[in-house]
């Protein structure tokens, strides 16, 4: 039985709240689902809370290669990258980002990740765990009104994460 990560719990709460805001859930069901999401101790307990709610996460996967996005690309609201033996490079500096916040989840076992942000963007990588690597975030950490904020979570078992601004 797998335990629930803080990222998964927060994501479940967000999905339930969005479903209520969209009119798909009533007040009683909102309260019930939020309680179940906040008290779940395993993934099996959390799954029924959100299984019927739409989750707009773009998932990119690679077993041994590199996941790369650069140039003028459409950044989704939520992005998850899974790789057993590969790395990731996400350059958001020239990308189209129609959101005020972007959530990125990294699940890299033997790979590292680099995230390049446009000037003025803030990023928080406090929810990233590593065993043998490190996390280096060279950007502002607190969200700024009117500016893009990137929330990064996940696990890089034997890799490192670098978050920086684009070089001029």
């Amino acid at each position: 039985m797998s335990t629930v990560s803080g990222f998964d719990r927060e994501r479940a709460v967000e999905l339930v709240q969005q479903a209520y805001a969209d009119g798909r859930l009533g007040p009683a069901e909102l309260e019930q689902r939020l309680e179940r999401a906040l008290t779940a101790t395993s993934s099996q307990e959390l799954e029924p809370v959100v299984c019927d709610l739409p989750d707009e996460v773009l998932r990119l996967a690679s077993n041994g290669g590199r996941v790369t996005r650069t140039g003028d690309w459409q950044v989704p609201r939520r992005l998850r990258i899974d790789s057993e033996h590969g790395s990731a490079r996400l350059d958001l500096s020239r990308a189209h980002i129609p959101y005020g916040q972007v959530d990125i989840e990294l699940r890299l076992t033997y790979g590292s990740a680099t995230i390049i942000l446009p000037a003025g963007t803030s990023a928080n990588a406090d929810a990233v765990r590593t065993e043998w690597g490190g996390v280096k975030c060279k950007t502002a950490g607190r969200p700024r009104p009117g500016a893009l904020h990137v929330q990064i979570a996940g696990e890089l078992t034997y890799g490192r994460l670098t978050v920086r601004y684009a070089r001029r």
Side-chain angles (χ1 to χ4, degrees):
M1 183 181 327
S2 63
T3 60
V4 176
S5 71
F7 182 82
D8 291 338
R9 186 183 314 278
E10 289 173 19
R11 181 72 188 121
V13 167
E14 190 175 302
L15 282 173
V16 170
Q17 290 173 332
Q18 187 61 50
Y20 175 73
D22 293 344
R24 292 191 304 262
L25 301 177
E29 189 169 4
L30 168 71
E31 186 176 326
Q32 178 189 37
R33 287 188 189 217
L34 285 176
E35 181 179 345
R36 289 173 53 203
L38 293 171
T39 60
T41 58
S42 70
S43 298
Q44 290 78 8
E45 290 177 7
L46 191 60
E47 178 62 26
V49 175
V50 295
C51 67
D52 61 333
L53 302 178
D55 186 5
E56 300 170 10
V57 176
L58 175 62
R59 297 182 195 286
L60 302 174
S62 170
N63 190 22
R66 181 179 197 150
V67 175
T68 303
R69 295 294 182 271
T70 62
D72 184 16
W73 63 289
Q74 176 80 26
V75 177
R77 168 74 177 82
R78 289 175 188 79
L79 177 63
R80 178 174 172 158
I81 298 176
D82 293 295
S83 181
E84 184 73 24
H85 299 283
S87 60
R89 180 180 173 85
L90 303 174
D91 186 345
L92 282 64
S93 65
R94 292 182 287 136
H96 175 69
I97 309 169
Y99 310 102
Q101 179 172 322
V102 171
D103 296 329
I104 299 173
E105 182 179 6
L106 302 169
R107 298 285 176 199
L108 305 175
T109 305
Y110 292 99
S112 295
T114 301
I115 300 174
I116 302 165
L117 303 176
T121 301
S122 60
N124 183 325
D126 291 345
V128 175
R129 295 180 310 279
T130 66
E131 287 186 36
W132 296 95
V135 175
K136 188 185 298 185
C137 190
K138 300 177 179 181
T139 64
R142 288 183 295 147
R144 299 175 186 168
L148 173 65
H149 181 71
V150 178
Q151 187 70 37
I152 308 162
E155 194 168 323
L156 289 84
T157 309
Y158 295 99
R160 68 186 183 286
L161 169 65
T162 302
V163 183
R164 65 174 176 81
Y165 292 120
R167 294 186 178 110
R168 297 176 200 200

